[in-house]
Amino acid sequence: MFKSLKITCDEATTICDKNQYGEASIIELIKLNLHFVKCRICARYTKQNMTLTKLYKGHASSCKEMKHCMSHDDKDALKKALQEGNKAFNEVGS
Amino acid sequence: MAEKKHTLDTSKWIDNYADYLFNYAISRVNNSDLAKDLVQETFFAGLKSAKNFQGKASERTWLVSILKRKIIDHYRKINSKKGQAEVRMNFYNDGENEGNWIEERVPQSWDNASEKKIETEELRTQIDICIDKLPEKYGMVFRMKTIQEFETEEICKELDISASNLWVMIHRARTQLRKCMEDNWFNN
């Protein structure tokens, strides 16, 4: 029975990463915590992962506030290209 | 003459939707030139299929749905570059020790983690540099999930991938990022 709960470090850290988004299942968390009993490296990975998650979250909130807009020049170029395209398209269509 | 009805005021199109589409694209591909190309392609495709636009959705929704297809196409393109040398590092053994840490890639302890935690401009730049070093598709998925904070289901739908596929990519991205942050931020 316990054999099925045994996982590799690769699997453990995958679960740990999933858990950073709160999306690991109960059974996955049990497997992960059992893995920690014998693997200190993955326990360290997990601790550091939580630190990183905090950093990424801070980064995310500053990124989300940023709105990206196209420059006027880019828009003008796009308008021109589109008008040409429209013309060519209408010629073919008629 | 019937075509006349479908002639669109393209200059207005751009004024009304270019920024919205550009912002939508850049938050997914994080590359301004690529985002511009995708927006242009979207407008052209819109122009071509304007006849099919039935007015069921708003014009913007319709254009966004075209842009979504363009983003999937781009994702497929970068995903299918098989055989190309990926910069992906292996952190786990194959063979007998399959799935265990490769000795020289084992996470090192961060003695100074607490003092390095502080949010600074420098830190953000370092995070961006490390994300940019990821293989493009991992970077894209990581950004969508972690920076843009999309729901898993939404990303899977948008990129047409399975959830387990997504988690493997997130895992690979985060392992590689951890190493990059360790080398350049925590232990330098």
Side-chain angles (χ1 to χ4, degrees), chain A residues 36-52:
Chain A
F36 290 156
V37 174
K38 67 166 183 93
C39 182
R40 295 185 58 181
I41 302 169
C42 286
R44 177 190 289 163
Y45 179 93
T46 302
K47 200 175 152 212
Q48 293 176 344
N49 216 357
M50 290 195 278
T51 306
L52 287 172

Side-chain angles (χ1 to χ4, degrees), chain A residues 70 74-90, chain B residues 6 8 10 13-14 17-18 21 35-53 62-64 66-67 70:
Chain A
M70 266 176 126
D74 282 337
K75 278 186 195 166
D76 284 342
L78 194 53
K79 277 179 192 172
K80 245 186 211 159
L82 211 58
Q83 264 161 10
E84 305 260 306
N86 199 12
K87 228 192 274 167
F89 185 63
N90 280 342
Chain B
H6 300 289
L8 292 151
T10 48
W13 241 19
I14 288 163
Y17 309 122
L21 295 176
K36 265 184 242 166
D37 287 346
L38 290 173
V39 170
Q40 174 158 350
E41 282 175 34
T42 301
F43 281 129
F44 271 105
L47 201 61
K48 265 193 204 160
S49 56
K51 270 191 224 164
N52 305 332
F53 176 57
W62 174 63
L63 286 167
V64 168
I66 299 175
L67 177 59
K70 299 284 169 201

Side-chain angles (χ1 to χ4, degrees), chain B residues 88-140:
Chain B
R88 178 163 93 82
M89 273 191 239
N90 261 329
F91 288 87
Y92 306 93
N93 285 303
D94 294 328
E96 204 181 318
N97 281 326
E98 195 187 342
N100 291 327
W101 287 100
I102 290 175
E103 215 175 311
E104 60 271 26
R105 295 270 158 80
V106 161
Q108 302 301 302
S109 69
W110 299 343
D111 300 328
N112 55 356
S114 49
E115 64 193 74
K116 283 274 193 180
K117 258 194 238 171
I118 335 141
E119 269 266 347
T120 58
E121 202 50 45
E122 222 180 316
L123 168 66
R124 290 198 196 125
T125 315
Q126 187 57 55
I127 295 177
D128 274 332
I129 292 173
C130 285
I131 300 178
D132 283 340
K133 280 189 190 158
L134 295 173
E136 197 180 347
K137 60 173 175 167
Y138 296 159
M140 189 168 172

Side-chain angles (χ1 to χ4, degrees), chain A:
Chain A
M1 179 204 164
F2 289 111
K3 223 173 181 183
S4 63
L5 293 174
K6 224 176 132 188
I7 50 173
T8 64
C9 296
D10 195 359
E11 289 165 316
T13 43
T14 306
I15 295 172
C16 170
D17 287 328
K18 201 171 168 184
N19 196 34
Q20 298 307 307
Y21 305 89
E23 296 183 43
S25 67
I26 301 275
I27 188 80
E28 282 175 326
L29 291 176
I30 293 171
K31 285 179 184 172
L32 180 63
N33 280 289
L34 278 177
H35 183 82
F36 290 156
V37 174
K38 67 166 183 93
C39 182
R40 295 185 58 181
I41 302 169
C42 286
R44 177 190 289 163
Y45 179 93
T46 302
K47 200 175 152 212
Q48 293 176 344
N49 216 357
M50 290 195 278
T51 306
L52 287 172
T53 297
K54 273 188 207 146
L55 300 188
Y56 298 150
K57 274 205 176 133
H59 187 53
S61 59
S62 67
C63 283
K64 278 172 114 183
E65 283 163 18
M66 235 161 72
K67 282 269 168 273
H68 301 273
C69 292
M70 266 176 126
S71 70
H72 276 290
D73 290 349
D74 282 337
K75 278 186 195 166
D76 284 342
L78 194 53
K79 277 179 192 172
K80 245 186 211 159
L82 211 58
Q83 264 161 10
E84 305 260 306
N86 199 12
K87 228 192 274 167
F89 185 63
N90 280 342
E91 274 164 21
V92 173
S94 59

Side-chain angles (χ1 to χ4, degrees), chain B residues 113-167:
Chain B
S114 49
E115 64 193 74
K116 283 274 193 180
K117 258 194 238 171
I118 335 141
E119 269 266 347
T120 58
E121 202 50 45
E122 222 180 316
L123 168 66
R124 290 198 196 125
T125 315
Q126 187 57 55
I127 295 177
D128 274 332
I129 292 173
C130 285
I131 300 178
D132 283 340
K133 280 189 190 158
L134 295 173
E136 197 180 347
K137 60 173 175 167
Y138 296 159
M140 189 168 172
V141 173
F142 178 81
R143 267 201 195 86
M144 285 174 82
K145 185 70 194 153
T146 318
I147 308 295
Q148 305 297 330
E149 297 177 325
F150 289 126
E151 298 292 332
T152 303
E153 207 180 312
E154 201 180 344
I155 302 174
C156 291
K157 233 167 140 187
E158 273 200 26
L159 302 182
D160 199 14
I161 55 176
S162 71
S164 58
N165 200 335
L166 173 127
W167 289 117

